[in-house]
Amino acid sequence: MQTQLADKSIEEKLLLADEEVYTTLFSKNPFYKNLDINFKESTFLKKSIGKIYTTEEISSLEKGNLSIESKNINKRQIYYCLRDVKKNPQNPFLLNNLGLAFISAREYKKALKCFNEAILYDSTFISAKLNIAYIYVLLKEYAEAKKIYTDLLNSEPGNKAIKINLANISLIERDLDKAKKLFSEIWTKEKKNTDAGHKLSIIYILNNNGEKAISTLRDCLRIETNNPFLFNTLGLAFLVSGLPNKALNALFTATRLLPRNNKLALNYINLLFDLGKTDSAIKYAENYLDKEYDRNITEILVEMYLKKDEPKLAIREMKKIINESKAVETNEFEIARLYNNLGVIYDRMLEYENAEKMYLSSLKLVNFNNSVFLMNIIDFYIERKQNVIAKSYIDLLEKSFPSKNLHLFYKGILARNEEKFEEAINCLNEFLLVNKEFMYAYITLSGIYCEYLSNYEKAIDVLLNAPTEFKERIPFINDLAYSYLMNNNLMKANEVLKKVKPILNDPFITATRGLLKIKEGKIEEGRKLYNEAKKIARGDILKYQIEQKKHLEIGKYFIGKDKQLALKNLTQTKKLSKHQTIFRKQAIELLESLLIE
Amino acid sequence: MSKNEVFLRIIESQKIINNRFYDIRRINQEGGNGNFSLVFLAKDKTLRKNKDVVLKFFNPTRASVLGDYRQKCFEREAKILYRLKNQRNILPILQKLRNLEIELDYEHNKIPIQLNYYVTHKAKCSIGDYIYSEDWNLIRSIRYFREICKAVQRIHTQRIYHRDLKPENFLLFSYGYVCACDFGSACDYSEERIPILKDQDYDETEIGDPSYYSLELICNLQPSEELYRYSDFFALGAILFELFTRTRLTLIALRDPKLQVLINVIRNQKIYKRRDVFLSVISDVERQIDLPKVRSLNGELIKNISHRVDDLYMSLSRLNYKFRETDFSKIFNRINVIEKLILYDKLRNK
């Protein structure tokens, strides 16, 4: 399993649910896995201005903590509105104003009381009803808000504002069909309503209908020619349609129109990075960070430095993030997450001592009570073949998270490494009974069938029985294609590999493509792809493995065709590593049988 | 009994003031609407039918607030009103600042106190009262807005900037005649100004009703004539919005979290830096904030009218003050078009 960079906590994600509700679907496709659609929720103002506003300060404001000045102004707004209401206590409009003042002061209960009172005096007062619904939206009580909007829509079927609000809630609740219907109605009637057009195009993107999204967004852009958020969504639409370069242009325009928006910048950097334009991405990120600090962009910069094999720079930035966070971060988990991530970097740099230190620091901060951190350290010890320590942490994992059965996954890996395949398969199957959503378990299980037991049919079967959402993810696609190839089903393998865009910078997929070429008899093309995979692979061990696999597969191809070439390649496989790997073992077996012949 | 009430009773008990004003009555329990005044009705012997007039006294209980700043504001108001005497759309002052000598009982001692006051004509009601009354309608609203603009144009041409424009500060007289009043926060650039307090002691937003404040005032940018002129236009836009929707603009428009961030960031700057910072980011902010449309709050408006009202109020109340509409001839043209459209719509419905 790959070492995981710990993600933000679920609670935090929920707080951001409004804006990031659209992101998870995108993780299907790695081109845009980290991109998110921005509406108008940017935090544009962090610097430019002497004092650096940290993300926390801004998010706390956005979440509802008001500054002293705002509180003072709100207090006085309430005073004036209240004074008017006292003069004329039964006027629904004045009560409505007072309610609005209470909303500004985040006093929602009082606001609700005012609006309800306003409705009492004028039962047809739509604004007050809409404001009540708005409070429910703010409180994330969508069902209540929906009820009010639906009632209002029944009495006023043509009211656009109500339709938009209802559609927005449907979008948040992922009721895409309803949202689409409502936004379409508004958009067809009023082509100038770019907000409706924008949201409609987002729904098209969520439904993987890139073409429709593009045409809708182009219509919107004809009206609002310099709206950066429209360009941002256009970029995503291009990505869905498989046009990454056009997407890049659109995102570039968005960043030019609104250069200080961290989310637009993040999207652009992410895409550059995914398209392999790491140098440009680094340059852009560095320029952005020169002007203002942004944690997300710094984190992506860390990853890019790692990819560019500049771990020292990566560590420098990571330490910067940690220092910045220590000053403002009250959440210990967040610090622990950063320590864990720094550990991952050290791990990749092969600085094992530091990596271990960081992993342990992160675990200490959370009292050894986080499954991701525990899994990372277990992975670390298993890779170092320190099975005894790994086992102690596996026991801790079992003790701390007994219901999750996570320990069974590692017990399976340990059993596999000790060549106790039956035990490994049992452990993994038992693990999968509880953790159906854990993709790497399917990959490990199919790997045992494919590599160690040569039961390719079973390997394919395991993968095909996995949940459908994995079938779009790169490691899964790669494994499935590989299993088909090993089963000599080139057509199916080709079909599966076509799901992945050709420009992808992934060593595994590139190597699998190389294997396909070799199996098709295009040895040179295959060799070239394997070399490319080796080039982009991180870490010496992986590079060796790719090289071994290349020679093994070329050797296998020549068995029965050209004994000398077969022998040469298999011998090279054997020579490449002193450690016993599965490929070396396979090569030795093949060599022995060839020599016997 | 509160201190306020003591003064209210003493003034009420006066049989005649200045040998001219009698039958003195308080307007309501609090005495007046202002932050620092006590307002009374009285009959004027010199007027035909002894008509009611308004006596506005400085409230001595508020004298200590912000040093003597309130007192100066009161004096400035009387001074400006007197300067603008007999000009159209300005509240007519009948008598300039005078003193009323009263005696205050304090621990069985009589303490003589002088109360400042001035006298103005009495209006029917304020535009604020009209907006929330049953008399409210579109045609009156646009006509009153024209009058309001005329008043603002008049004071601006004399380099006076009101700084607290709101429907309550426009009084409605007979035949739809509207006058600007309450110049307590006004700034007169035509002569040596009454100095406003220094930045560290004084915050623009601590005075008046913040519901009509422009963003630059809330951000407390460094004061200048230009800034005050532009802020008055923002308030005009907000008044137009309220005249058509009966809802206060800033209660909807300025509650966006992005603006809260902006306000917080700008106010954390040193005062001389604020304007540059404000102008450097405001275009980006403005692009992300949608001002509400009048039609979303007043469904009765037909599209043709609502678009024009939106255009006018949005051009007056732009967040970036540099781009606000400040040409009164254009504003009046647009008001005329809106008025004609409303009349046409009314006739068509008939």
Side-chain angles (χ1 to χ4, degrees), chain A residues 471-513:
Chain A
K471 289 170 187 166
E472 302 286 328
R473 291 174 67 175
I474 299 294
F476 195 87
I477 290 172
N478 178 62
D479 231 50
L480 188 60
Y482 180 77
S483 303
Y484 276 130
L485 281 174
M486 295 309 282
N487 201 24
N488 288 323
N489 191 343
L490 304 193
M491 214 171 73
K492 276 269 183 191
N494 202 6
E495 207 175 282
V496 174
L497 278 174
K498 270 183 187 167
K499 284 185 187 173
V500 186
K501 303 285 180 293
I503 38 109
L504 187 69
N505 250 351
D506 184 285
F508 298 101
I509 278 284
T510 316
T512 309
R513 283 202 177 107

Side-chain angles (χ1 to χ4, degrees), chain B residues 263-279:
Chain B
I263 294 163
N264 208 4
V265 170
I266 303 283
R267 289 180 69 122
N268 273 315
Q269 304 297 311
K270 287 189 174 153
I271 190 152
Y272 62 88
K273 269 189 180 176
R274 286 181 197 160
R275 189 165 55 171
D276 291 341
V277 175
F278 181 87
L279 290 173

Side-chain angles (χ1 to χ4, degrees), chain A residues 42-172:
Chain A
S42 67
T43 46
F44 42 85
L45 269 173
K46 276 182 267 168
K47 207 179 166 189
S48 81
I49 344 183
K51 182 182 174 184
I52 298 173
Y53 263 75
T54 61
T55 323
E56 286 65 34
E57 279 174 287
I58 284 172
S59 62
S60 76
L61 278 165
E62 289 184 344
K63 281 171 199 165
N65 305 337
L66 293 168
S67 64
I68 297 163
E69 291 85 3
S70 303
K71 273 182 188 165
N72 188 21
I73 289 170
N74 290 334
K75 213 169 134 187
R76 284 181 33 248
Q77 273 181 336
I78 292 171
Y79 164 78
Y80 280 98
C81 291
L82 204 59
R83 201 189 58 183
D84 291 343
V85 170
K86 272 183 192 167
K87 269 199 285 179
N88 198 350
Q90 294 191 352
N91 189 310
F93 294 98
L94 291 172
L95 284 163
N96 187 52
N97 279 341
L98 180 62
L100 288 171
F102 278 127
I103 289 184
S104 302
R106 313 278 196 269
E107 294 186 37
Y108 300 127
K109 277 188 183 168
K110 286 181 183 173
L112 271 177
K113 207 178 149 193
C114 290
F115 295 132
N116 281 323
E117 215 171 312
I119 292 167
L120 210 68
Y121 296 120
D122 182 359
S123 56
T124 59
F125 194 17
I126 291 178
S127 289
K129 287 179 188 173
L130 283 172
N131 287 332
I132 291 175
Y134 173 73
I135 292 176
Y136 284 129
V137 172
L138 287 176
L139 297 172
K140 295 194 184 343
E141 291 176 24
Y142 298 121
E144 290 289 329
K146 220 168 159 179
K147 208 174 135 193
I148 296 170
Y149 286 135
T150 316
D151 285 349
L152 284 172
L153 201 61
N154 287 338
S155 57
E156 279 197 48
N159 192 315
K160 199 178 64 196
I162 301 168
K163 265 186 198 172
I164 289 179
N165 289 330
L166 198 56
N168 279 333
I169 293 179
S170 305
L171 193 55
I172 290 167

